[in-house]
Amino acid sequence: CYHQQLEAEALSLVSNETVSTIVNAIHTGENIKMHFQPIKSLQTDEVYFESLIRIKNGEHLIYPNDIFAVVQRRRLEVEMDIQVIKSILASLMVGTLPIHTGVAINISGKTLLQPDFVPLFTDFIPYLKDYKIVIEITENILIDHMEYAQKVLNQLREQGFLIALDDFGSGYSSIRYLAHMPVDIIKFDMSMTMALKLDAKTQNIIKSTAEMVLRSGYDLVMEGIEDQEMYDKAHLLGATHLQGYLLGKPNIIPTMPSA
């Protein structure tokens, strides 16, 4: 069972120097190095990239597990999201991302609930003609705030942004809301991808869920594709897009997956 000591123990594994580097990066934007992992369409040659935060500490990189432990403890989720948004916008401005690709931006629930959420993306609008820009939110925040989320996310969709629901299936609570979700893309939780290697009954449940998602008109992204077996199973399942180490690892220079 969760208790506050668990969080304190997790944070104690992060050195004071690392904590200071993370907090400084979140407040100033210094040393934030976005990495990009390809998401490939199985239907076309389309590729876009999920943006993943890293923070440079000397010659080393600090990875999300340590970053999020500090950010959540210090309640810096909104500040981190703002710095990430600024970093991705800078990448678009200097042409780091290949034209006619795109980028997915992960947003925390706390940022989604800010009154100035929609204006955070105003500066991205000129890039929508050449890039697919996807805003990823998690299942729990959408379900907990469905009415509000419908309002603000549909405003962004009307401007040309796409919305992805991340971690779908992690709680299985979102199925009942499927027809009314203000999203364009469903990303299966990695546990559902891994379940494709389990028994036939489990695979059939995942297959039925995928069919329901696809019939509802959403694109379906499957994460965690690490080998050819998982690729083939996801392809047979009907996934429209795949993401994972088999197609490409996160890299500071976006790399196109091989055919």
Side-chain angles (χ1 to χ4, degrees):
C1 295
Y2 172 83
H3 55 81
Q4 288 186 331
Q5 185 180 351
L6 290 175
E7 187 175 353
E9 289 171 352
L11 192 57
S12 70
L13 299 176
V14 183
S15 70
N16 289 335
E17 177 191 358
T18 300
V19 171
S20 296
T21 302
I22 293 169
V23 172
N24 181 70
I26 299 305
H27 284 306
T28 67
E30 296 176 0
N31 295 316
I32 290 179
K33 305 293 182 184
M34 301 306 300
H35 282 51
F36 301 94
Q37 185 174 28
I39 301 172
K40 182 180 179 181
S41 170
L42 285 175
Q43 302 168 330
T44 68
D45 292 329
E46 175 195 73
V47 174
Y48 67 103
F49 299 89
E50 181 175 5
S51 56
L52 302 163
I53 188 172
R54 310 284 189 261
I55 294 175
K56 188 172 175 60
N57 183 16
E59 297 300 316
H60 305 285
L61 289 176
I62 305 172
Y63 288 89
N65 281 349
D66 288 340
I67 295 171
F68 294 150
V70 174
V71 165
Q72 291 169 4
R73 179 69 173 175
R74 302 292 182 95
R75 297 182 172 88
L76 295 172
E77 290 93 341
V78 175
E79 290 84 352
M80 182 183 72
D81 285 350
I82 289 173
Q83 294 296 351
V84 165
I85 289 169
K86 289 179 178 178
S87 296
I88 294 170
L89 183 61
S91 295
L92 288 171
M93 292 174 67
V94 301
T96 300
L97 292 160
I99 197 167
H100 303 310
T101 61
V103 62
I105 308 168
N106 291 281
I107 295 297
S108 70
K110 288 186 177 180
T111 300
L112 177 67
L113 297 175
Q114 295 301 302
D116 59 348
F117 173 68
V118 172
L120 286 175
F121 301 94
T122 299
D123 290 339
F124 286 86
I125 292 175
Y127 295 95
L128 288 170
K129 66 181 185 299
D130 294 320
Y131 293 94
K132 174 178 180 175
I133 300 179
V134 181
I135 299 166
E136 290 193 7
I137 59 170
T138 56
E139 177 183 54
N140 62 334
I141 190 65
L142 176 61
I143 302 307
D144 292 343
H145 303 276
M146 179 65 79
E147 185 175 348
Y148 169 80
Q150 284 179 327
K151 177 182 176 181
V152 296
L153 294 178
N154 279 330
Q155 288 181 41
L156 290 169
R157 295 173 76 201
E158 289 168 4
Q159 293 174 354
F161 296 93
L162 299 174
I163 308 298
L165 180 69
D166 202 9
D167 298 338
F168 182 89
S170 57
Y172 295 97
S173 60
S174 52
I175 292 176
R176 61 179 291 199
Y177 299 100
L178 193 59
H180 306 291
M181 288 182 178
V183 302
D184 307 282
I185 301 164
I186 302 290
K187 295 188 75 175
F188 270 10
D189 184 73
M190 194 175 296
S191 63
M192 296 184 74
T193 303
M194 300 303 293
L196 292 176
K197 289 190 172 184
L198 300 180
D199 58 277
K201 183 181 292 186
T202 300
Q203 291 184 40
N204 285 333
I205 292 173
I206 304 300
K207 181 180 179 181
S208 297
T209 305
E211 290 174 349
M212 182 169 50
V213 166
L214 293 164
R215 283 200 306 268
S216 298
Y218 302 108
D219 281 347
L220 173 59
V221 178
M222 297 202 69
E223 301 179 281
I225 305 300
E226 298 179 352
D227 55 40
Q228 191 62 44
E229 179 188 1
M230 297 177 78
Y231 182 102
D232 294 339
K233 287 180 179 293
H235 188 278
L236 289 173
L237 199 71
T240 61
H241 295 74
L242 300 181
Q243 178 181 0
Y245 278 15
L246 182 66
L247 294 108
K249 296 182 179 181
N251 199 311
I252 196 167
I253 305 289
T255 54
M256 304 292 281
S258 57

